[in-house]
Amino acid sequence: MQRRFQHQTLKNLFSVLHQQQDQILLRKFSYSSSVSNSAETKVQQDETAKCPYHQQKQEKILTFDDLPGPKGLPLVGSLFDLMRASNGIQNYFSQLVGDYGKTVKIKLLNKRMIITQDPDLANEIAKQDEGRETLEPARKFKVERGLPQNPVESYNYEDWYDMRQLYNIAMRPEFVQNVIIPQLTELNSEFLQYLTKNLAYDKEKDHFELQNGTRVVNRYTFNSVVKVFMGAKMTDEAASKLSYSIDEFVNLVVVFLDNILKLQNGSQLYKLFKTKEYRDMENGYELGLNRSKECIDMFDKGEYAGKPRMKELIEERASKFQDNKDKQLYVNVVLSSFLMAGVDITARTIVVLMYRLATEKEFQEKLYQETVEVFGEPTLDELTSENGLTITPETLKKLKLCRAFADESLRLNHIIKSTSTRQLSKDIVASGIKIEQGTTVMFLEDPARYQQWVKKSTEFIPERHERGSDLAVPKTFSGPFGKGARKCPGERVAFTEIYFALINLARHFRLSHSNGNTLPPLNETTTLGYLDMNKYHLYFKPREHLAEYFEQLKKTQAKH
Ligand code: HEM
């Protein structure tokens, strides 16, 4: 036991030393690049020094130290404030911007961090530097097992781009038309059926109440990723063959992702020895990968490849790798990561959207009318048939209000206020601020903090997304999916799912909730915000074309 411990400790020390070596290499690398950068900067400075306008402008360049922000304690900086933030990390950062202004500095141990709500600064940084903060605990997990690292698990100087190319396949506009929409439209009736199965009639109030709401949306988002990437429907029969339930899978992923972030922002002890938190994360990651693989293998066969699916497109891209990478291993890691990253966050977003729809009674009718204009009157068949309503890229384009409604819901109540976290791979000057290599920059998008750029930013106004609106959100804003080379590769899959869910809801039901005419508040004490479906209840009234079907449902429920 003693010897095992010593061996393990030595191994850990060795691995920390390795990491330190990595850091030295990183510094060496960035030193040489900053040498060439500074040579270029010198030429530019010589040029600009001749011009009085630039002389004046140059004087205004701020450094990290010039930025406002909390003073923090010696050595640890603001670490304890962050750990104590009872209202959640997101709100802590947002509060800093409220207290100190649009761009704030903060120190966490030896980490320099800038939080900015300034879209112009964020945009300039994203254009100049693709560096991202590495998720060190997840990186360690992958390196120890010789598994391909995701971009966010690689250092900026490593080759993360090859892997990212595989992810980017899901963002290509032609695949939205040829893969995402045709695959997801076949889940329209399934979404309505899961919903219906979980509606319980309340005789007194004469409406149906949604039970197990989280389970319904988790299932929809899980099935959506499986459909787009593997081309298969995860029917109840198929799901029963998995060694786990889909809810278990989602919970597992939520916990281990949260553990990664806690380790990342915590004491860093896990780098010296495997702390309990690290071991929990490790077990969760291992299980998450195995369970994803189990699901992928289930639909690996050619029979599901009849209609274009993402799997083959990703494999085709991997076949272009230049070196001797194990291509299939890369593809498997990408497919598993899409499944792990794509379920919970989209589910939480759809929950918020449902409550938003239930809050906006007037819009419910307008959205309904728009779907009638585009698809005709709704029918029971859309609920009971195998695939439901057929939505095509062409019909989708016509649903302008539905799109604006979904866009506005995501803008105003998105569940993660800090959309991107960059770590600069070189020194840069952006919007008059000199930011040094290694600084972490968080792009914040909190409607309560950006009135300066977006009129009536805290109000729900879908019309602001119409062309030419003077309430428009400037293009420099990234929205909830982040920006630049690191943005969410699942954006188009997620948005299509959200969009389809909205169309189906508006077409078949009238919604309301237990918080009257106000959207229930989001709980933001966890890393990702969420709307508590147990606390606030969601009610459904089927539209007229479903009346008979739901009368039957009432009778069946009454019997039980
Ligand atoms: C409403 C739903 C979603 C939101 C708000 C969201 C948001 C984000 C954000 C903010 C990032 C980090 C971007 C950055 O660092 O700049 C991200 C990364 C990522 N997202 Fe999403 N996402 C959503 C849905 C999805 C879906 C459905 C999938 C999969 C199909 C997915 C897959 C990923 C992956 C794989 C990454 C990591 C990319 C990398 O490491 O380079 N996401 N997402």
Side-chain angles (χ1 to χ4, degrees):
M1 179 77 182
Q2 176 91 13
R3 267 188 55 196
R4 225 182 101 207
F5 173 74
Q6 280 173 353
H7 176 72
Q8 196 58 29
T9 314
L10 278 175
K11 228 172 100 186
N12 290 330
L13 276 173
F14 188 66
S15 107
V16 170
L17 278 176
H18 252 309
Q19 284 183 7
Q20 282 171 350
Q21 261 178 352
D22 281 353
Q23 294 297 338
I24 293 165
L25 271 173
L26 170 60
R27 266 184 236 123
K28 270 192 190 161
F29 175 87
S30 16
Y31 174 70
S32 57
S33 71
S34 69
V35 170
S36 63
N37 272 346
S38 57
E40 273 169 35
T41 319
K42 176 92 175 63
V43 176
Q44 280 164 9
Q45 277 170 355
D46 289 345
E47 288 295 316
T48 51
K50 295 172 197 156
C51 161
Y53 166 72
H54 278 102
Q55 268 176 354
Q56 238 184 13
K57 218 180 160 192
Q58 247 182 337
E59 280 164 24
K60 284 188 195 155
I61 287 184
L62 302 174
T63 64
F64 181 85
D65 292 331
D66 297 325
L67 296 175
K71 210 162 163 274
L73 297 168
L75 295 175
V76 289
S78 299
L79 184 69
F80 294 137
D81 288 343
L82 184 80
M83 286 163 81
R84 274 196 300 263
S86 56
N87 213 8
I89 294 183
Q90 305 280 337
N91 280 329
Y92 173 68
F93 291 137
S94 171
Q95 193 54 51
L96 287 178
V97 168
D99 293 345
Y100 293 94
K102 61 185 178 184
T103 301
V104 180
K105 73 163 179 233
I106 172 175
K107 273 196 173 180
L108 297 173
L109 297 169
N110 58 354
K111 192 151 114 182
R112 288 165 158 233
M113 196 164 178
I114 293 176
I115 297 132
T116 186
Q117 172 55 86
D118 179 350
D120 302 315
L121 174 62
N123 217 33
E124 263 198 61
I125 294 172
K127 270 190 200 152
Q128 287 192 50
D129 197 321
E130 292 177 347
R132 200 194 189 285
E133 186 174 52
T134 310
L135 285 183
E136 295 278 358
R139 177 196 160 76
K140 184 172 155 68
F141 170 87
K142 287 281 185 73
V143 171
E144 280 177 358
R145 286 160 183 78
L147 288 172
Q149 290 142 234
N150 281 323
V152 70
E153 294 161 350
S154 303
Y155 289 134
N156 292 325
Y157 63 90
E158 289 176 320
D159 171 19
W160 54 269
Y161 201 68
D162 250 4
M163 188 67 153
R164 180 69 211 202
Q165 287 302 308
L166 301 189
Y167 281 105
N168 287 352
I169 296 294
M171 298 174 75
R172 299 252 294 266
E174 69 270 29
F175 298 149
V176 179
Q177 312 270 318
N178 306 336
V179 182
I180 301 178
I181 296 175
Q183 289 286 3
L184 286 182
T185 189
E186 294 184 356
L187 296 186
N188 282 334
S189 55
E190 194 188 88
F191 171 67
L192 291 170
Q193 285 160 16
Y194 279 129
L195 196 72
T196 306
K197 261 194 227 165
N198 287 282
L199 289 178
Y201 185 59
D202 181 336
K203 201 171 170 194
E204 212 173 288
K205 302 207 174 103
D206 189 28
H207 62 207
F208 288 85
E209 185 176 330
L210 182 61
Q211 318 279 304
N212 313 313
T214 317
R215 201 176 297 165
V216 172
V217 279
N218 281 349
R219 183 67 190 259
Y220 173 59
T221 54
F222 185 93
N223 285 15
S224 295
V225 178
V226 172
K227 189 76 168 67
V228 169
F229 289 85
M230 304 306 294
K233 279 193 182 185
M234 178 58 84
T235 57
D236 285 344
E237 197 199 334
S240 70
K241 289 187 186 142
L242 290 170
S243 65
Y244 54 89
S245 78
I246 290 167
D247 258 3
E248 261 168 42
F249 176 84
V250 180
N251 293 338
L252 166 85
V253 174
V254 171
V255 171
F256 98 74
L257 287 178
D258 206 45
N259 283 342
I260 292 180
L261 294 177
K262 279 189 193 139
L263 289 162
Q264 173 87 354
N265 295 317
S267 68
Q268 309 298 305
L269 273 179
Y270 76 91
K271 288 183 179 169
L272 292 170
F273 64 96
K274 288 196 176 177
T275 55
K276 181 182 175 308
E277 291 74 24
Y278 183 82
R279 277 184 278 119
D280 287 349
M281 181 285 293
E282 202 175 31
N283 293 339
Y285 207 163
E286 190 102 54
L287 208 54
L289 283 174
N290 289 341
R291 290 187 165 177
S292 304
K293 181 79 177 35
E294 185 185 331
C295 174
I296 291 161
D297 286 348
M298 192 179 229
F299 302 115
D300 199 30
K301 331 253 172 359
E303 65 200 81
Y304 299 106
K307 189 177 250 183
R309 55 180 186 169
M310 286 292 172
K311 181 179 179 281
E312 279 74 25
L313 299 167
I314 295 171
E315 280 170 349
E316 195 187 316
R317 182 64 190 76
S319 69
K320 295 190 181 131
F321 281 170
Q322 297 294 322
D323 43 26
N324 291 331
K325 290 181 176 128
D326 179 345
K327 297 178 178 96
Q328 199 51 49
L329 186 59
Y330 271 71
V331 173
N332 286 342
V333 167
V334 168
L335 292 173
S336 301
S337 304
F338 267 127
L339 197 56
M340 290 191 282
V343 178
D344 172 58
I345 190 165
T346 323
R348 291 178 195 230
T349 306
I350 291 176
V351 169
V352 177
L353 180 85
M354 294 205 287
Y355 280 83
R356 174 54 79 184
L357 186 64
T359 308
E360 309 294 333
K361 304 280 184 315
E362 240 179 74
F363 274 108
Q364 285 194 44
E365 293 318 305
K366 287 184 186 167
L367 294 172
Y368 171 76
Q369 281 309 330
E370 188 180 72
T371 75
V372 172
E373 276 159 34
V374 174
F375 300 107
E377 294 290 333
T379 61
L380 172 62
D381 204 41
E382 291 172 28
L383 166 68
T384 53
S385 62
E386 192 184 341
N387 294 333
L389 177 72
T390 305
I391 306 178
T392 62
E394 293 70 38
T395 44
L396 211 49
K397 255 187 224 138
K398 295 182 189 159
L399 294 162
K400 295 207 161 54
L401 187 61
C402 284
R403 163 118 217 170
F405 191 92
D407 276 339
E408 185 64 349
S409 176
L410 262 78
R411 178 196 73 81
L412 186 56
N413 306 108
H414 65 82
I415 54 175
I416 176 158
K417 288 174 182 157
S418 53
T419 54
S420 279
T421 308
R422 298 305 175 104
Q423 195 168 58
L424 298 199
S425 61
K426 55 181 186 283
D427 294 351
I428 63 165
V429 176
S431 296
I433 304 173
K434 181 170 189 276
I435 311 174
E436 283 176 28
Q437 180 231 327
T439 309
T440 301
V441 187
M442 189 175 274
F443 304 157
L444 190 81
E445 275 196 16
D446 183 351
R449 307 278 174 226
Y450 62 60
Q451 286 101 334
Q452 182 183 343
W453 295 276
V454 181
K455 286 186 203 157
K456 302 187 178 177
S457 64
T458 53
E459 291 174 39
F460 183 80
I461 310 176
E463 293 83 353
R464 73 168 82 246
H465 300 277
E466 285 169 9
R467 195 174 284 184
S469 165
D470 67 342
L471 303 175
V473 179
K475 290 220 160 32
T476 42
F477 274 64
S478 61
F481 297 99
K483 67 166 90 210
R486 303 292 196 144
K487 80 180 298 190
C488 171
E491 173 178 7
R492 290 170 194 261
V493 178
F495 199 79
T496 313
E497 286 172 51
I498 293 168
Y499 208 0
F500 285 11
L502 176 67
I503 294 165
N504 282 304
L505 289 167
R507 221 169 138 66
H508 299 286
F509 297 98
R510 292 187 177 88
L511 280 72
S512 57
H513 56 63
S514 59
N515 203 44
N517 294 326
T518 316
L519 185 82
L522 262 62
N523 184 330
E524 288 170 329
T525 51
T526 44
T527 315
L528 292 181
Y530 68 98
L531 203 155
D532 191 341
M533 295 191 96
N534 293 326
K535 191 165 171 191
Y536 301 99
H537 303 253
L538 194 58
Y539 309 126
F540 287 72
K541 277 198 172 189
R543 287 189 181 267
E544 291 65 26
H545 62 283
L546 299 182
E548 218 173 291
Y549 183 86
F550 275 82
E551 278 307 318
Q552 281 303 323
L553 195 72
K554 278 182 208 172
K555 284 181 195 153
T556 326
Q557 287 187 354
K559 274 190 209 154
H560 294 99

